[in-house]
Amino acid sequence: MEKIYKTMRNTGAACIAVGIVVASVGLAAGIVAIVSGAALLKRKTEITF
């Protein structure tokens, strides 16, 4: 039984770590998307076809 509890503890810790990494990457990607979108909107008057 102790082996099961150790496995569950390690799995829980790994899930928390993965969740933090995914949240950080998602936040960074969102910030980059907002900044690049704002730059495009700001410079839209300079585009000529």
Side-chain angles (χ1 to χ4, degrees):
M1 288 299 275
E2 189 174 329
K3 187 176 181 181
I4 292 171
Y5 289 120
K6 286 183 180 180
T7 302
M8 289 173 62
R9 182 188 65 204
N10 292 340
T11 303
C15 287
I16 290 172
V18 168
I20 291 170
V21 169
V22 169
S24 299
V25 170
L27 182 65
I31 291 171
V32 168
I34 291 170
V35 169
S36 63
L40 285 173
L41 288 175
K42 183 179 178 182
R43 300 184 67 187
K44 72 179 180 179
T45 57
E46 299 174 15
I47 299 173
T48 57
F49 291 99

